[in-house]
């Protein structure tokens, strides 16, 4: 086997996990809990409704969305479904590449109402994004440890 064939085989194997994790999110109503909990911030950020709701939350807070977040974010953990009464929120997170300690975003999204709120740490300063009510703030604080 020559070096070119080995390189192609390695690139193919390395590309598999990324494509295996990618989830196309089109219709929130058809997503199962298992699908949601195997999705990541970048999956949701490709959805124009989610992305628009997140942008609107930043704008209503008078805070410019960081460039790294507009471009898709960085490292993230799998999404979580958080039930609060009849509402089933999706908790997503992402952080600035190579600077997660100082720049992290946690988003709580309601797929039914499209309401979005977030608690963010930007340049080590914690800020609330959107207009989270007391329940949403409590959920985000408990889930993230940020207050």
């Amino acid at each position: 086997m020559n070096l070119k064939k080995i390189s192609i085989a390695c690139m193919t194997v390395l590309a598999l996990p990324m494509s295996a994790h990618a989830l196309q999110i089109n219709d929130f109503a058809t997503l199962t809990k298992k699908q949601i909990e195997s999705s990541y911030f970048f999956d949701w950020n490709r959805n124009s409704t989610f992305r628009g709701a997140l942008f609107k939350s930043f704008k209503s807070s008078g805070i410019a969305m960081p460039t790294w977040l507009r471009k898709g974010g960085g490292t993230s953990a799998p999404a979580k479904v958080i039930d609060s009464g009849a509402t089933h929120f999706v908790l997503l997170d992402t952080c600035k590449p190579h600077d997660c300690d100082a720049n992290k975003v946690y988003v709580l999204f309601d797929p039914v109402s499209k309401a979005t709120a977030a608690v963010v740490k930007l340049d080590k300063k914690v800020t609330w994004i959107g207009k989270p009510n007391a329940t949403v703030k409590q959920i985000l604080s408990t889930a993230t440890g940020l207050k």
Side-chain angles (χ1 to χ4, degrees):
M1 191 177 259
N2 68 25
L3 188 57
K4 185 176 180 180
K5 286 182 182 179
I6 292 172
S7 294
I8 291 171
C10 287
M11 287 188 294
T12 303
V13 170
L14 290 173
L16 285 177
M18 226 164 173
S19 62
H21 287 294
L23 176 65
Q24 189 64 37
I25 298 174
N26 293 318
D27 182 8
F28 301 126
T30 63
L31 291 173
T32 65
K33 183 175 180 177
K34 184 176 180 178
Q35 287 175 313
I36 291 170
E37 292 185 341
S38 64
S39 66
Y40 293 82
F41 180 85
F42 59 83
D43 295 315
W44 290 81
N45 198 49
R46 290 183 304 179
N47 179 281
S48 61
T49 301
F50 171 80
R51 196 172 50 253
L54 183 58
F55 181 79
K56 186 176 176 181
S57 292
F58 269 87
K59 188 174 181 178
S60 73
S61 299
I63 297 172
M65 184 184 285
T67 303
W68 62 269
L69 188 59
R70 275 196 321 272
K71 290 183 176 181
T75 305
S76 66
K80 294 179 185 171
V81 174
I82 298 179
D83 298 321
S84 178
T87 306
H88 307 291
F89 292 105
V90 178
L91 177 68
L92 301 142
D93 73 271
T94 190
C95 66
K96 184 177 181 178
H98 310 291
D99 197 15
C100 286
D101 288 340
N103 292 279
K104 185 111 175 148
V105 176
Y106 295 93
V107 179
L108 197 63
F109 180 66
D110 178 353
V112 174
S113 72
K114 314 301 184 273
T116 305
V119 60
V120 301
K121 184 167 56 166
L122 300 174
D123 297 322
K124 299 185 180 181
K125 181 183 175 201
V126 176
T127 305
W128 292 99
I129 300 296
K131 298 186 184 333
N133 61 30
T135 301
V136 169
K137 279 188 173 184
Q138 181 62 43
I139 292 169
L140 281 166
S141 292
T142 301
T144 67
L146 297 177
K147 298 183 186 304

